[in-house]
Amino acid sequence: MKLRVFNKARISRKLTAVYALMFSLILIMLNASILFGIEHYLYSEADSDIEDTQSIILDMVSVENQKVDLSNDEIFADMTSKDDIYVRIIKDDGELINASDNFPDNVSKLGYNIQSLDDKVKHIEDRERHFGYKSVKYNSQQYGTVYFQIVKDMKSEYDFMKMVFLLMAIADSIGVIASIMVGYIVSKKMLKPIDNITKTAENISINNLKERIDIIGPDDELKRLANTFNNMIDRLQDSFNRQAQFVSDASHELRTPIAVVQGYANLLDRWGKNDKDALEKSIYAIKLEADNMADLVERLLFLAKGDSGTQVIEKKEFWLNELIEEVVEESNVIDQTHEIFRNRNDIGKIVADCGMIKQMLRIFINNSIKFTPENGKIIINSEINKEFAEITVSDTGIGIAKDEIDNIFDRFYIIDKSRFKDKAGTGLGLSIAKWIVNIHQGSIKVESEEGKGTNIIVKLYFNKEHN
């Protein structure tokens, strides 16, 4: 249940919770390390005090020719220079010889064996009381074997540790609360671009693609996300604009043949039944416009499939020189008013969609036929290099104005309709040819000069991977 609530929480709250949790864990580990270090230091100091007291005792009882009365209370004045260190002297049978004032009973009650000797100081704990303990054996002339029990009361040290622990707990609580507040504020600020993206996305619709995200701040992941989102919207807007323009142009291009068909149909309805000339003229015009509409629709479908990625592309290896020979022969059969030939046709194979390459060549040749005077020349050459195959279609036609060369591949673009009204087509042929070149990851270049002709140069690269 808690995990489900966490998953449904906002990202800013999740980040705050994770940040606060990690900060708390770091504080706990850091403070635990500090407390462990302090405890180790205090134990080391206590051990040093006990060892110092042991040295004092041994020095005192080991002085030659000096008899020390172990039962005299005054001997502890020299042994214990600190109030929290206590000494007790016991015989081998457990009988008490002497003890410093306020010797802690806790040590006796714990039942430590007085004969239990160890070079290291032992640490005793009883009812939250902590002691350092060491037993030192000594052979005296007066009592025989005796034991000096040295005890260090560590109450003050543990009181200090409790105070440090309390201060750390308070500081940690303040730190965690502050981390939650600061983390929430910082996460909100850092995630503000995401809120902007969300609001912008909510405001975007097909009829409103003008919204963009304001990109302010460092060049981080969120800024790159905002840039990516803006670029995506730019592409969508461009796509919708092209679609709207495409529909508008298609409607405009279809309006004329439909109007012609309707006009001749009305003519047939009025006089064609009895007028043979009007009947034949109307049938011819209707068939012509029907063919034009069919060609236009076919080209529109081709481009629509290309835009949607559903156009079937069948790439295979074929001889380019044989395809060009075939296209030249067919063109001479179709059109006998121009001289169509090839000067160079290198023998070589390429991997491409043979049908589409042929369609591309037919589009270029048909354009050259339209805009080249009778008896003009149309030349198709091919050249095979190590990296690419180059196909050039040249003509001696009327050429293209420099300011129009960049536009001839736009859909429905027709060069100066008033000058070439009888030769104008749908304006889709070159768009299809350009699409075919692009889908083969090739390049296309146009060289033209008015009154002298046009060269269209296509390069199909061998070293580029095709999808």
Side-chain angles (χ1 to χ4, degrees), residues 153-410:
D153 189 352
M154 301 185 67
K155 180 178 182 302
S156 59
E157 285 82 353
Y158 270 85
D159 287 343
F160 173 74
M161 289 186 64
K162 289 180 181 179
M163 180 61 66
V164 172
F165 177 79
L166 179 62
L167 292 175
M168 284 184 173
I170 295 173
D172 290 351
S173 301
I174 295 173
V176 171
I177 294 173
S179 69
I180 293 174
M181 296 175 63
V182 173
Y184 184 74
I185 295 172
V186 171
S187 62
K188 286 281 289 183
K189 185 176 181 180
M190 291 179 65
L191 295 175
K192 188 175 181 181
I194 294 181
D195 291 334
N196 293 337
I197 293 174
T198 303
K199 292 178 182 178
T200 303
E202 290 174 349
N203 293 330
I204 290 175
S205 64
I206 295 178
N207 298 321
N208 178 26
L209 290 174
K210 296 180 180 179
E211 294 287 338
R212 296 294 184 275
I213 301 172
D214 294 331
I215 306 172
I216 301 174
D219 187 17
D220 54 11
E221 289 81 0
L222 291 177
K223 187 172 182 179
R224 290 195 291 273
L225 175 62
N227 277 322
T228 302
F229 186 84
N230 286 342
N231 292 335
M232 181 190 69
I233 299 303
D234 289 338
R235 292 193 297 271
L236 282 175
Q237 186 175 25
D238 180 65
S239 177
F240 280 122
N241 290 340
R242 289 176 59 188
Q243 183 181 27
Q245 184 65 38
F246 185 82
V247 172
S248 176
D249 292 339
S251 301
H252 176 74
E253 293 297 327
L254 287 171
R255 188 180 296 115
T256 299
I258 289 175
V260 172
V261 171
Q262 287 178 336
Y264 279 104
N266 292 331
L267 180 63
L268 286 174
D269 185 50
R270 293 178 183 178
W271 301 291
K273 298 175 183 178
N274 302 317
D275 190 336
K276 185 177 180 180
D277 292 336
L279 177 62
E280 292 179 354
K281 183 178 179 181
S282 298
I283 293 174
Y284 173 79
I286 290 173
K287 288 176 64 179
L288 179 63
E289 294 303 327
D291 290 340
N292 290 337
M293 281 192 292
D295 180 63
L296 175 60
V297 170
E298 183 179 353
R299 294 181 179 227
L300 288 173
L301 288 174
F302 183 95
L303 291 173
K305 288 180 179 180
D307 290 342
S308 63
T310 58
Q311 182 67 49
V312 178
I313 304 171
E314 297 179 354
K315 293 181 180 180
K316 60 182 180 180
E317 189 178 51
F318 64 91
W319 293 96
L320 179 61
N321 56 298
E322 293 180 359
L323 175 65
I324 291 177
E325 289 286 355
E326 180 182 337
V327 171
V328 170
E329 291 178 4
E330 291 177 356
S331 299
N332 281 310
V333 172
I334 295 172
D335 179 77
Q336 299 177 353
T337 61
H338 298 86
E339 187 179 355
I340 304 174
F341 61 97
R342 45 98 184 138
N343 283 330
R344 178 175 179 176
N345 191 15
D346 290 355
I347 298 175
K349 290 183 177 182
I350 64 171
V351 177
D353 188 308
C354 184
M356 287 190 177
I357 299 299
K358 183 176 182 180
Q359 183 181 7
M360 174 194 73
L361 292 173
R362 292 296 309 150
I363 290 172
F364 293 148
I365 292 171
N366 288 338
N367 264 21
S368 294
I369 291 173
K370 285 181 182 179
F371 298 102
T372 300
E374 289 187 6
N375 301 319
K377 296 180 180 180
I378 300 172
I379 309 165
I380 302 99
N381 291 327
S382 70
E383 181 180 347
I384 305 293
N385 294 313
K386 290 183 179 180
E387 297 183 354
F388 59 86
E390 183 177 279
I391 304 172
T392 304
V393 179
S394 305
D395 63 53
T396 57
I398 59 177
I400 306 171
K402 290 183 178 180
D403 58 347
E404 291 187 307
I405 289 178
D406 293 336
N407 301 322
I408 61 174
F409 294 106
D410 294 343

Side-chain angles (χ1 to χ4, degrees), residues 409-422:
F409 294 106
D410 294 343
R411 296 178 184 182
F412 297 105
Y413 184 82
I414 299 176
I415 299 174
D416 199 348
K417 294 182 181 181
S418 61
R419 291 171 54 199
F420 308 106
K421 186 175 181 180
D422 57 333

Side-chain angles (χ1 to χ4, degrees), residues 16-60:
T16 302
V18 173
Y19 174 77
L21 178 61
M22 295 186 65
F23 183 74
S24 301
L25 291 176
I26 292 173
L27 281 179
I28 291 172
M29 290 187 292
L30 181 62
N31 291 340
S33 300
I34 293 173
L35 286 173
F36 178 79
I38 292 174
E39 183 182 29
H40 179 74
Y41 172 76
L42 293 178
Y43 272 117
S44 298
E45 289 296 309
D47 294 351
S48 297
D49 291 342
I50 292 175
E51 296 292 344
D52 292 342
T53 303
Q54 175 184 341
S55 298
I56 293 172
I57 293 173
L58 294 178
D59 289 343
M60 179 184 64

Side-chain angles (χ1 to χ4, degrees), residues 112-135:
Y112 270 88
N113 188 352
I114 60 174
Q115 286 85 8
S116 178
L117 302 177
D118 199 334
D119 292 337
K120 295 182 179 179
V121 177
K122 294 182 173 62
H123 296 282
I124 306 169
E125 180 180 355
D126 180 47
R127 297 179 183 179
E128 297 186 357
R129 293 290 301 276
H130 297 266
F131 303 94
Y133 168 83
K134 189 171 186 180
S135 181

